């Protein structure tokens, strides 16, 4: 079994088991293997799509942008799923600059078609974006109308109240229509190791050589 095939199988196992945090290093290694050795049997969009989605789940917009710059333009136009993920990245960057709306992202992810391989990861991406918005609401408000929370996570009021109480530990006062958020837990970002920097440098160098020889 080749290294690329082994990595593909490991990534499939991680997706089926819900171990999404392990996907980034696997797909980064796979991108290096396929790009450097030019394994034509592995379409690059089958690597770019889940890798970009994984970066978005981790909210690593810097790595996501770096990946998009490495993707050939022809691949971007040929893959409708990849095109949507790139659009989601740009919408997240707009939202981060406080001139975007998460509703546009929810709508785009919900209305787009995803194949069976990518659909589980997209569901996690939707949840991660929703959770990020809810964390911000919990930091900004000690109490807020259920209508406001529902509008920010693209749910109806009844569903939003029930979901936030059950999954986030928020308190809901039906008599006033107010939600009382629970402070979010502090999390740390995944560090980027020296091995990953080295692999990225190798990929860039390989692509530069190919451009010079073409």
């Amino acid at each position: 079994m080749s290294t690329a095939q082994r990595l593909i199988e490991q990534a499939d196992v991680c997706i089926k088991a819900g171990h999404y945090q392990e996907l980034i290093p696997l797909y980064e290694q796979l991108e290096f293997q396929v790009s450097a050795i030019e394994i034509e049997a592995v379409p690059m969009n089958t690597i770019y799509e889940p890798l970009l989605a994984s970066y978005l789940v981790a909210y690593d917009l810097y790595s996501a942008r770096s990946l998009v710059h490495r993707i050939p333009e022809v691949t971007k136009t040929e893959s409708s799923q990849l095109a949507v993920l790139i659009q989601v990245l740009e919408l997240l960057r707009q939202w981060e600059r406080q001139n975007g709306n998460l509703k546009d992202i929810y709508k785009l992810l919900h209305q787009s078609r995803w194949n069976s391989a990518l659909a589980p990861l997209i569901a996690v991406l939707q949840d991660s974006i929703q959770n990020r918005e809810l964390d911000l609401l919990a930091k900004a408000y000690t109490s807020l109308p259920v209508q406001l929370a529902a509008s920010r996570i693209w749910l109806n009021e009844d569903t939003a109240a029930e979901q936030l109480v059950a999954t986030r530990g928020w308190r809901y006062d039906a008599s006033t229509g107010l939600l009382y958020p629970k402070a979010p837990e502090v999390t740390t970002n995944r560090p980027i190791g020296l091995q990953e920097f080295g692999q990225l440098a190798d990929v860039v160098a390989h692509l530069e050589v190919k451009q010079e020889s073409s």
Side-chain angles (χ1 to χ4, degrees):
M1 179 186 299
S2 67
T3 300
Q5 186 60 42
R6 176 178 56 80
L7 292 169
I8 291 172
E9 293 188 1
Q10 288 179 1
D12 290 340
V13 169
C14 288
I15 291 176
K16 292 176 181 177
H19 298 160
Y20 301 105
Q21 70 278 8
E22 300 175 18
L23 289 177
I24 290 177
L26 285 174
Y27 278 114
E28 286 175 340
Q29 291 180 57
L30 189 56
E31 182 194 5
F32 168 71
Q33 287 288 328
V34 176
S35 298
I37 306 175
E38 297 183 339
I39 305 174
E40 296 182 358
V42 181
M44 289 303 296
N45 68 293
T46 63
I47 300 171
Y48 292 139
E49 290 168 1
L51 179 54
L52 181 53
S54 297
Y55 282 140
L56 296 179
V57 168
Y59 206 69
D60 186 351
L61 302 188
Y62 177 82
S63 294
R65 289 192 67 199
S66 297
L67 174 62
V68 170
H69 287 314
R70 297 198 301 273
I71 299 175
E73 290 300 321
V74 64
T75 304
K76 295 178 185 177
T77 57
E78 289 178 348
S79 171
S80 59
Q81 294 187 136
L82 187 58
V84 171
L85 288 171
I86 293 173
Q87 190 175 353
V88 169
L89 168 61
E90 292 308 311
L91 288 172
L92 279 173
R93 293 182 62 222
Q94 292 175 20
W95 175 72
E96 191 177 51
R97 296 192 296 265
Q98 299 182 343
N99 61 353
N101 193 326
L102 283 184
K103 286 186 193 178
D104 297 333
I105 304 176
Y106 295 147
K107 185 176 180 179
L108 182 60
L109 290 172
H110 181 73
Q111 294 183 346
S112 300
R113 291 188 175 184
W114 307 100
N115 62 32
S116 58
L118 200 58
L121 190 54
I122 296 303
V124 176
L125 175 57
Q126 290 174 315
D127 287 343
S128 70
I129 293 172
Q130 187 179 81
N131 287 332
R132 181 169 293 275
E133 174 71 352
L134 291 172
D135 284 347
L136 292 176
L137 288 175
K139 292 177 181 178
Y141 296 92
T142 56
S143 66
L144 71 159
V146 65
Q147 299 94 328
L148 174 59
S151 68
R152 297 284 285 269
I153 58 176
W154 210 41
L155 292 176
N156 63 57
E157 294 176 21
D158 292 337
T159 302
E162 181 179 350
Q163 176 176 312
L164 293 173
V165 170
T167 64
R168 306 274 302 192
W170 291 19
R171 185 168 60 86
Y172 177 55
D173 186 341
S175 64
T176 61
L178 291 178
L179 283 162
Y180 295 86
K182 180 181 178 181
E185 297 180 0
V186 178
T187 58
T188 57
N189 294 328
R190 181 186 72 93
I192 300 177
L194 292 176
Q195 180 181 2
E196 294 171 8
F197 276 123
Q199 289 174 348
L200 177 58
D202 289 339
V203 171
V204 173
H206 172 72
L207 293 176
E208 289 176 347
V209 170
K210 288 181 64 178
Q211 289 178 348
E212 291 176 359
S213 60
S214 59

